[in-house]
Amino acid sequence: MKYICTLVLLLVFANCNVSTEKLKEGKGLLKLNDNLKKESIYALNLESFLLDSIESSYIGNICIVSDTLYFIDERFAWVFRFSKDGKFIDRNLGLGGGPKEIETGLITGYCILPDGWMFVGPADDCHIFDKAFFRGNRFVINRGGSGEMSYKNAQNYTKWYGNIIMKYHNDNIYYNVYIERPGMSSFDDKEEYYEKVGILLKMDINTGKVTDILGSYPPKYSENKGAILFDGFYYDMDKMGNFYVNYEADSLIYCYDANFVPTQVFGFNGKKMNRDYPFVSNEDYLKRRNIIKEKYAYFTHIKYIEEINTLFRSYRRSIDEEFDGLQIYKEETLIGDVDVPKGFKVLGYISPYVYASTGIDEENETIELYKFKL
C-alpha cells in the first residue's frame, strides 16, 4: 500500500535510515489539515466469542492465517488452529526431535511466510516449517560485527522480548530490537541513545545473516525526558514491503517504503489521553515503571489491513478510564476514534469481519476474541 499523501511529506533522504536530524528538519513542515480528519465511525458493534477450550499454558499470541485463527503457545511451543468461529481444528509442533516438532522449545517470536509457511525464532536459533508443519531449514542468526561499542554494530542489539514483532518481505525477516549494553543504553545518555539507536534488524532468511539496522526514534524522545517510560514501538508491513511505525509517546504514524526510505507522516492524538509524562530517575524506572505507566496514556498496536485499505491504531488510556481507544484511518484520513475494551488490538481480517483481541486470560484459561464490520 502507498498512501497518497495530501500533507507535506518528510524529505526523501539519500540514506535509507531516518536520521534524527532529518526528522527535525521535517518537523515544522508537518501540518495536519482539517480535511485529514473526517470522522464517520463513532462506535463499533463488537461481537465477542471464545475459542474452544484447550490444554495449554495460555501464554502466547494470536494471529490470523488466511481464514484460520492461530494461537501460538509460547511456553509449550504448540500451534493451535481454530475456525473463524473459534472451533478447535488441531494442534501442531511442540517440543521434540521429530520432523513436525521444535527441538529448542519455546516460541518467543514468529511470522507467517508466503503459502502459509511459518518462521519460528525461539532465540537466535531459528526454524522454518511448511504449511503442514514439517520442519525445513534451521539456522542461527548471524549478527556479525565485533565487540565494538557502536550503534551500527548489530551485536549490541537485543530482541524486544515480551513484544517481539517479526515480519517477512522478499526473503528478509525484520524484528524489533533495543540496546541494554552498559554504556550504550538509554540510562547512560538518553539524548544520544534515542538519536542514534536503531529499532529494527533486517535478516536474510536464506543465510541467517543480519544485513542492516533500520530506523530511529523521532525527536520527541530526545527532547522529552519523560518519554523513557514509553519507549516501546510497534510496526506493521504490507505486501509491498511498506512499513507503518508507531511509537508509544508520539501521536504521529511514520511510513517508509520497502527500502526504509520515509514516505510520509500523519496522525492525531487520541481522546481522553493524559500524555503529560513525568521525568523519572533510573531508580524509579526500574522499580515503579509499570505503576507509573498505568497513570498515563500511550499508543500501542498498529495493524494495516490491505483487503479493506484501512489502518488501525490502538492506544491505552490511564487505568482510571473505563475504556481504551482505537483509531481508524483510511489513506491518511482519520475516520474513527472509538472506545474499545481495555487491551484491545486488531488482529486481521476474515471477510466480512475485522478480528480483534484483548489478550489471553491465563487465570480462567480462556481466549476471548471480537469481530466487527466497518
Side-chain angles (χ1 to χ4, degrees):
M1 158 190 160
K2 292 197 184 228
Y3 286 97
I4 300 174
C5 187
T6 58
L7 72 164
V8 181
L9 300 180
L10 283 174
L11 297 175
V12 177
F13 316 134
N15 189 330
C16 291
N17 289 339
V18 185
S19 70
T20 302
E21 290 75 16
K22 292 296 184 181
L23 285 174
K24 285 181 178 177
E25 286 178 22
K27 184 178 171 188
L29 299 176
L30 298 175
K31 298 179 180 179
L32 301 178
N33 301 322
D34 291 341
N35 63 355
L36 299 179
K37 193 172 185 179
K38 297 180 179 178
E39 293 187 57
S40 57
I41 299 174
Y42 301 100
L44 298 177
N45 182 19
L46 299 177
E47 301 177 36
S48 66
F49 65 97
L50 296 176
L51 299 185
D52 280 349
S53 180
I54 52 176
E55 292 187 8
S56 166
S57 72
Y58 285 89
I59 299 172
N61 295 281
I62 309 159
C63 68
I64 294 176
V65 182
S66 186
D67 61 351
T68 304
L69 303 172
Y70 280 45
F71 169 57
I72 300 170
D73 187 316
E74 176 182 326
R75 183 70 56 82
F76 296 146
W78 286 330
V79 178
F80 296 88
R81 296 193 294 187
F82 301 84
S83 72
K84 63 183 180 180
D85 299 316
K87 304 303 180 184
F88 174 75
I89 298 174
D90 59 17
R91 189 189 78 185
N92 302 278
L93 299 186
L95 177 62
K100 301 181 73 172
E101 295 176 319
I102 182 168
E103 296 176 345
T104 54
L106 299 180
I107 297 178
T108 55
Y110 71 92
C111 69
I112 305 304
L113 308 179
D115 301 322
W117 287 46
M118 189 173 184
F119 171 88
V120 176
D124 279 358
D125 192 28
C126 303
H127 302 74
I128 296 176
F129 295 91
D130 68 17
K131 62 183 178 181
F133 294 97
F134 282 99
R135 187 174 58 245
N137 192 22
R138 175 182 175 182
F139 57 87
V140 176
I141 296 176
N142 174 13
R143 286 177 289 169
S146 62
E148 179 188 3
M149 291 183 64
S150 167
Y151 292 102
K152 296 181 180 180
N153 180 6
Q155 286 281 3
N156 293 321
Y157 287 84
T158 300
K159 290 188 184 74
W160 204 290
Y161 290 106
N163 186 41
I164 297 177
I165 303 171
M166 291 184 162
K167 298 293 179 180
Y168 169 88
H169 177 68
N170 196 26
D171 280 349
N172 292 298
I173 296 287
Y174 301 84
Y175 59 93
N176 51 331
V177 291
Y178 68 103
I179 292 180
E180 59 182 357
R181 178 173 176 173
M184 293 184 64
S185 74
S186 58
F187 291 122
D188 297 293
D189 187 332
K190 295 178 178 61
E191 184 172 348
E192 179 183 81
Y193 178 86
Y194 289 122
E195 287 184 351
K196 294 183 177 181
V197 72
I199 63 171
L200 297 173
L201 293 190
K202 177 182 178 181
M203 181 191 69
D204 187 320
I205 199 172
N206 297 306
T207 65
K209 183 178 180 180
V210 172
T211 59
D212 209 349
I213 302 169
L214 303 172
S216 65
Y217 280 86
K220 189 174 190 70
Y221 282 85
S222 56
E223 296 169 357
N224 185 341
K225 300 301 182 181
I228 185 174
L229 283 172
F230 306 89
D231 60 353
F233 60 91
Y234 306 79
Y235 75 100
D236 199 9
M237 293 179 70
D238 62 23
K239 291 178 181 178
M240 298 298 294
N242 298 302
F243 294 80
Y244 310 96
V245 183
N246 183 47
Y247 300 87
E248 288 184 346
D250 198 326
S251 62
L252 297 176
I253 297 168
Y254 296 81
C255 303
Y256 308 85
D257 67 14
N259 295 315
F260 222 77
V261 174
T263 55
Q264 62 186 32
V265 175
F266 62 93
F268 291 88
N269 194 34
K271 298 176 180 178
K272 300 180 181 178
M273 294 189 76
N274 177 6
R275 297 174 59 222
D276 186 18
Y277 304 142
F279 169 78
V280 294
S281 67
N282 290 352
E283 183 178 350
D284 279 341
Y285 179 85
L286 292 172
K287 291 183 177 180
R288 302 174 55 238
R289 180 179 190 272
N290 292 334
I291 296 174
I292 298 173
K293 198 169 180 178
E294 284 182 344
K295 299 179 181 179
Y296 298 89
Y298 54 97
F299 296 94
T300 57
H301 301 276
I302 190 166
K303 182 67 178 179
Y304 170 61
I305 298 180
E306 293 192 73
E307 294 92 333
I308 55 175
N309 187 30
T310 304
L311 186 72
F312 298 88
R313 179 171 62 161
S314 303
Y315 59 91
R316 292 288 183 103
R317 294 180 179 138
S318 75
I319 194 171
D320 298 327
E321 294 287 343
E322 182 179 1
F323 298 102
D324 281 344
L326 178 72
Q327 293 185 331
I328 306 168
Y329 291 88
K330 277 277 192 182
E331 303 292 330
E332 70 279 3
T333 301
L334 180 68
I335 62 171
D337 191 337
V338 299
D339 290 344
V340 289
K342 287 289 189 180
F344 193 89
K345 68 174 182 178
V346 170
L347 301 173
Y349 183 75
I350 303 175
S351 181
Y353 292 99
V354 176
Y355 283 73
S357 165
T358 52
I360 299 162
D361 188 337
E362 297 175 35
E363 182 178 352
N364 295 307
E365 297 188 339
T366 58
I367 302 175
E368 183 177 22
L369 297 186
Y370 298 84
K371 60 182 182 180
F372 60 92
K373 297 177 181 179
L374 287 184

